[in-house]
Amino acid sequence: MHESQNIPISEDSMKKQEQKKLVNFFSGCPIWESINTMIWTMNDPLTIEEGNKVFCKFFKLPFPIGEKNKIYDIFEKEDACILVAKIQSALKTGCSEIYEGFLKNLSNQTQEFRITIFPKTIQKTTIFICSAENITNGKLRERDLLNALKEAEKAQKFKGEFLADMSHEIRTPMTALLGMVELLGLTHLSSEQSDYLKTIKVGTEAVLKILNQILDFSKIEAGELKLQRVNFNLHKLIDEVGCILASMAAEKGLDLVIRYLPGTPENFTGDPDRIRQIFFNLVGNAIKFTESGSVLIDVNCEVETLRESVLEFKIVDTGIGLTEEQKKLIFQRYYQVNGNLRKTSNGTGLGLLIARNLVEMIGGVLDVISELGKGSIFHFTLKLEKTKDEETIFEVKQHLSKLKILFLLENQIEAKILSLYARFRGAQCNIASSIEEAVEAITSAKSGNGPYNLFFTSFDLDNPDFGKKLYSIRTNLIKDSIKSVILSKNVRKLISQGISETDFFAILSRPATFNSFSDILDKVAGAISSEVVGKITEKRKVEINNSILELTPICDLKILLAEDDDTSRFVTKKVLERFGCQIEIAKTGKEAIEKIRENDFDLIFMDCIMPEMDGIEATIKIRQMSTRKRLPIIAITAHFVKVDRKKCLEAGMDDFLPKPLNPALLRFLLEKYSSLN
């Protein structure tokens, strides 16, 4: 028997034995064969030691594989080079390497994998545990989703272009239709014909409103609606909304009241068009669902710093209210309030959804407080950046301490607001709640601390009994030289029913804004100081959509009208001539430039979409010309999506008039630019 001999083992052999133990340990783990992922181990960057069944199946190898399988014998050369580089990187850093790529086997089968290389070191012995998760199907789904997304974006772009074209094609003939309705209303019509005309106008405006909401919702949905940053006066903006919606409220016999108290910040930087649209949608909705009572636009400043203000807005109505279920659904698309299993109003069901989206875009949250049968309060808060300059509505021209005013209004909220406005101007005020209380106040004031010199009261045909009682105290007013001012929802209707302007010092349209109310106070103060008692009729500067607008001469501006559509050009020219303007016509942008070189104009109305040269390009060229003075250019367009306010202003235009043509808005612009001239 031979004695056993101790044969020395080299360090390299010991390292290989340790590597073999590690490989056997990992290849013996249950997870090695239990998952549908290729796993293999390597002792060095070039040699594959073991592989699981999934690995062997993909590369068409026997299982278990033999020892010392070189990586270049199994992987394609390009794939192997990438794998070796990743292994060397893992060896150098000691960290895992993960990458995605394609692997091809000897049968030319190619699939996509997420490959992980994990270096494992125990007692200075390192092996590489590699895995390749097949992500071919997932990547195919991902590519399909990306392709679908591209197709959806392409379809969305096509939809936007289609809606823009549709807007242009619908608005252009509607300009003619609404314009002819306005002009026809100025002719002698029978009562039956007037009713037909009113029906045409209401129907046309309904179509236009639906078109506007569809376009707005489409732009919001596509993420194409961008907010602008311009300086604006919020107080003036809300007053304009009240003026525009006044006739809508008057038709239903509703009081539309604005509460924008003195001291509330007015001048901001932001997007006035979108804020205006929010109010149009919310106030219009409140009027639609209120059968009696009032709608209040309430503005309060919650927080004010040097740079910004946090304002809370409320639209309060006395309408039908909402159930708890309706409050959950009211801001969903196409939802409309139903009552007694029937539709209570027409519309797209998009107005409130658009308002909420716009509020959120500006950084606020729109919500509603409501109870069925007790009205609703739609409220939202906005943080707006303040501006230092611009105009201020609450400008005190003179202190009216000599004025003593008595209010007798059916709407007590309106009475309190106007009394606050009057006190802000320095006047003394009292509010009576009934005819009897008013008579007593007038009588006692004569023997007390001085008589009243101004009496404000509401007078509408909705309450004939109140009107009769009001006339019963006219004797007291005339005898005591108290000037009386009538507030009415519909001045024209009031006068048409025999209420003479000569009976009162002034007739004031509702809603009474601070400016219109303050003008009355100044006129009364002037009449008192000069001891002149005469007739003053206060007419609102802009009465938009108040039945058929009275088209009377207001200025003699020389205007260039650039418009290619024959019908739109005819209607716009007629309306401008009715306002007293002198009109020159151009049918293209190129022709407009030639006319400007040959003539002096006070104002240009420029259609944005014209042949040969559009209005945008024409405006840019006009601004490059050396003219005697800067000509105001007003953009008129039916293309609401492609041509927006920002493009017009960047080109050098000064204002923006959308189609279909609104004669009242046109009148407002004429007054604005004639005053500048």
Side-chain angles (χ1 to χ4, degrees):
M1 179 179 291
H2 298 282
E3 293 182 359
S4 62
Q5 296 180 351
N6 293 327
I7 302 173
I9 302 175
S10 67
E11 185 177 341
D12 186 55
S13 298
M14 290 178 64
K15 183 178 179 180
K16 289 182 179 180
Q17 288 179 12
E18 290 297 325
Q19 286 178 328
K20 186 68 176 176
K21 288 179 183 178
L22 281 172
V23 168
N24 291 337
F25 171 77
F26 284 106
S27 63
C29 292
I31 196 173
W32 184 264
E33 298 297 345
S34 63
I35 59 173
N36 191 29
T37 299
M38 290 197 295
I39 303 176
W40 68 97
T41 58
M42 303 176 70
N43 289 342
D44 59 68
L46 298 176
T47 307
I48 296 175
E49 193 71 26
E50 293 284 352
N52 68 353
K53 289 181 180 178
V54 181
F55 177 84
C56 294
K57 183 178 179 181
F58 180 78
F59 286 107
K60 312 297 182 185
L61 299 172
F63 179 78
I65 62 175
E67 293 185 358
K68 297 181 180 180
N69 292 279
K70 294 300 179 182
I71 193 170
Y72 289 99
D73 295 334
I74 297 176
F75 288 83
E76 285 285 312
K77 182 178 180 181
E78 185 179 346
D79 300 339
C81 289
I82 296 172
L83 183 60
V84 169
K86 294 293 182 180
I87 292 172
Q88 288 174 339
S89 175
L91 181 62
K92 183 178 180 180
T93 62
C95 299
S96 298
E97 288 283 336
I98 301 174
Y99 69 99
E100 292 180 359
F102 291 92
L103 295 179
K104 186 195 297 185
N105 57 24
L106 298 178
S107 301
N108 286 326
Q109 182 185 6
T110 303
Q111 294 188 24
E112 196 167 358
F113 293 88
R114 181 178 291 109
I115 301 165
T116 303
I117 301 162
F118 177 67
K120 182 65 178 176
T121 302
I122 300 177
Q123 295 180 356
K124 298 182 179 181
T125 300
T126 301
I127 66 168
F128 302 95
I129 304 165
C130 307
S131 67
E133 179 187 0
N134 195 324
I135 57 173
T136 305
N137 293 334
K139 285 293 181 178
L140 285 173
R141 285 194 298 269
E142 187 178 313
R143 279 189 284 273
D144 288 342
L145 285 172
L146 286 174
N147 290 334
L149 181 61
K150 288 179 181 178
E151 288 298 319
E153 288 173 348
K154 185 178 177 181
Q156 187 67 42
K157 183 181 178 182
F158 173 79
K159 186 176 80 170
E161 291 174 350
F162 170 76
L163 287 171
D165 294 335
M166 182 186 72
S167 170
H168 181 74
E169 295 303 320
I170 293 176
R171 285 176 187 279
T172 299
M174 283 182 71
T175 295
L177 185 58
L178 282 172
M180 292 307 295
V181 166
E182 297 286 352
L183 293 172
L184 190 58
L186 299 172
T187 63
H188 296 289
L189 300 173
S190 67
S191 58
E192 184 179 12
Q193 289 171 327
S194 296
D195 289 340
Y196 293 159
L197 193 64
K198 184 178 179 181
T199 302
I200 293 171
K201 186 180 183 190
V202 170
T204 308
E205 288 174 344
V207 172
L208 181 62
K209 184 177 180 181
I210 290 170
L211 176 64
N212 287 340
Q213 289 189 340
I214 292 172
L215 287 170
D216 287 335
F217 180 70
S218 174
K219 288 198 288 185
I220 291 171
E221 199 175 39
E224 295 175 355
L225 198 65
K226 306 299 181 185
L227 297 177
Q228 60 177 332
R229 279 181 55 81
V230 297
N231 294 347
F232 68 99
N233 185 286
L234 180 65
H235 191 176
K236 184 178 178 181
L237 182 152
I238 292 176
D239 282 353
E240 288 172 355
V241 170
C243 293
I244 292 170
L245 295 177
S247 61
M248 182 179 175
E251 286 177 4
K252 300 186 71 175
L254 303 175
D255 293 332
L256 180 58
V257 183
I258 299 171
R259 178 159 57 195
Y260 202 118
L261 300 182
T264 305
E266 299 178 66
N267 298 304
F268 300 98
T269 299
D271 193 328
D273 292 338
R274 299 308 166 195
I275 293 175
R276 185 183 290 109
Q277 187 176 3
I278 291 167
F279 279 101
F280 272 132
N281 286 13
L282 295 179
V283 178
N285 186 76
I287 294 171
K288 184 194 297 185
F289 291 101
T290 302
E291 295 302 320
S292 62
S294 63
V295 174
L296 169 67
I297 305 173
D298 191 15
V299 184
N300 286 296
C301 182
E302 291 191 335
V303 179
E304 183 178 8
T305 66
L306 289 175
R307 294 186 177 182
E308 60 189 19
S309 297
V310 178
L311 299 172
E312 183 187 33
F313 304 93
K314 293 179 183 177
I315 312 300
V316 185
D317 66 62
T318 57
I320 60 175
L322 299 166
T323 64
E324 291 300 320
E325 184 64 25
Q326 286 171 335
K327 282 192 283 186
K328 296 175 184 176
L329 302 173
I330 196 72
F331 294 109
Q332 293 185 10
R333 71 172 70 179
Y334 311 125
Y335 180 78
Q336 294 173 315
V337 175
N338 293 315
N340 299 324
L341 300 178
R342 68 177 182 86
K343 191 173 178 181
T344 59
S345 65
N346 295 320
T348 60
L350 293 173
L352 290 178
L353 175 62
I354 291 170
R356 169 172 270 190
N357 284 336
L358 291 175
V359 168
E360 289 175 352
M361 284 180 68
I362 302 172
V365 177
L366 173 62
D367 209 345
V368 62
I369 301 170
S370 184
E371 188 175 340
L372 190 63
K374 295 186 178 181
S376 303
I377 301 174
F378 285 86
H379 61 96
F380 60 98
T381 303
L382 293 180
K383 183 187 289 185
L384 298 175
E385 180 184 340
K386 293 165 67 176
T387 55
K388 296 178 181 178
D389 45 18
E390 303 297 330
E391 61 185 315
T392 300
I393 299 295
F394 290 123
E395 180 182 357
V396 179
K397 299 176 183 177
Q398 58 175 315
H399 195 69
L400 305 176
S401 57
K402 293 182 179 180
L403 275 186
K404 189 174 181 181
I405 306 170
L406 179 63
F407 292 94
L408 174 60
L409 304 179
E410 293 172 279
N411 190 306
Q412 289 295 298
I413 295 176
E414 187 176 31
K416 290 177 181 177
I417 293 170
L418 293 182
S419 68
L420 280 170
Y421 289 166
R423 289 191 179 96
F424 180 73
R425 294 294 312 274
Q428 304 173 57
C429 302
N430 285 306
I431 299 173
S433 58
S434 66
I435 295 285
E436 294 75 19
E437 190 177 327
V439 172
E440 184 181 346
I442 292 169
T443 305
S444 60
K446 287 189 295 183
S447 58
N449 57 357
Y452 291 100
N453 40 36
L454 184 56
F455 178 63
F456 270 93
T457 187
S458 53
F459 186 16
D460 280 296
L461 300 172
D462 306 327
N463 190 345
D465 292 336
F466 184 80
K468 290 176 184 177
K469 290 181 180 180
L470 180 63
Y471 263 91
S472 70
I473 67 168
R474 285 191 70 249
T475 306
N476 298 64
L477 299 175
I478 294 171
K479 184 176 66 176
D480 297 324
S481 298
I482 301 174
K483 296 165 182 60
S484 56
V485 177
I486 297 296
L487 274 77
S488 176
K489 300 164 192 166
N490 194 326
V491 173
R492 187 171 297 149
K493 185 178 179 182
L494 193 69
I495 294 171
S496 69
Q497 294 295 320
I499 306 301
S500 173
E501 293 175 322
T502 58
D503 294 337
F504 307 99
F505 186 82
I507 298 177
L508 183 61
S509 295
R510 282 168 152 172
T513 65
F514 179 83
N515 266 349
S516 61
F517 176 73
S518 194
D519 285 346
I520 292 288
L521 299 188
D522 287 330
K523 289 170 183 176
V524 172
I528 292 171
S529 62
S530 60
E531 297 182 352
V532 175
V533 180
K535 183 194 78 171
I536 298 177
T537 302
E538 167 67 15
K539 292 185 178 179
R540 185 169 304 286
K541 290 181 180 178
V542 185
E543 284 190 61
I544 298 177
N545 292 335
N546 194 358
S547 68
I548 305 298
L549 186 77
E550 187 179 350
L551 303 181
T552 54
I554 58 170
C555 63
D556 59 350
L557 295 177
K558 188 175 181 181
I559 294 175
L560 175 63
L561 173 62
E563 167 67 77
D564 66 306
D565 184 77
D566 294 337
T567 311
S568 295
R569 187 172 61 249
F570 172 79
V571 172
T572 307
K573 182 175 181 290
K574 287 294 182 184
V575 174
L576 287 170
E577 287 174 343
R578 283 276 188 169
F579 283 135
C581 303
Q582 305 169 53
I583 310 301
E584 282 279 337
I585 297 295
K587 297 181 180 180
T588 68
K590 187 176 180 181
E591 188 179 341
I593 292 173
E594 292 172 357
K595 294 268 187 182
I596 291 168
R597 286 197 178 105
E598 297 168 359
N599 301 277
D600 287 333
F601 295 101
D602 300 311
L603 184 62
I604 301 172
F605 282 93
M606 182 79 72
D607 189 17
C608 290
I609 307 297
M610 291 186 290
E612 291 187 27
M613 182 188 293
D614 63 30
I616 299 290
E617 186 181 351
T619 299
I620 293 171
K621 291 185 179 297
I622 291 169
R623 292 302 179 218
Q624 292 170 349
M625 294 166 56
S626 58
T627 55
R628 181 173 55 86
K629 59 180 180 180
R630 178 185 167 88
L631 279 171
I633 301 176
I634 298 175
I636 52 176
T637 182
H639 229 303
F640 257 32
V641 177
K642 287 184 179 176
V643 181
D644 56 11
R645 182 180 290 269
K646 186 178 179 183
K647 275 189 178 179
C648 295
L649 295 176
E650 286 176 349
M653 293 178 171
D654 299 281
D655 236 313
F656 188 79
L657 181 65
K659 291 181 181 179
L661 185 68
N662 187 324
L665 191 54
L666 180 59
R667 175 176 177 147
F668 173 76
L669 291 169
L670 291 176
E671 288 180 337
K672 175 181 176 181
Y673 287 99
S674 62
S675 65
L676 292 177
N677 279 326

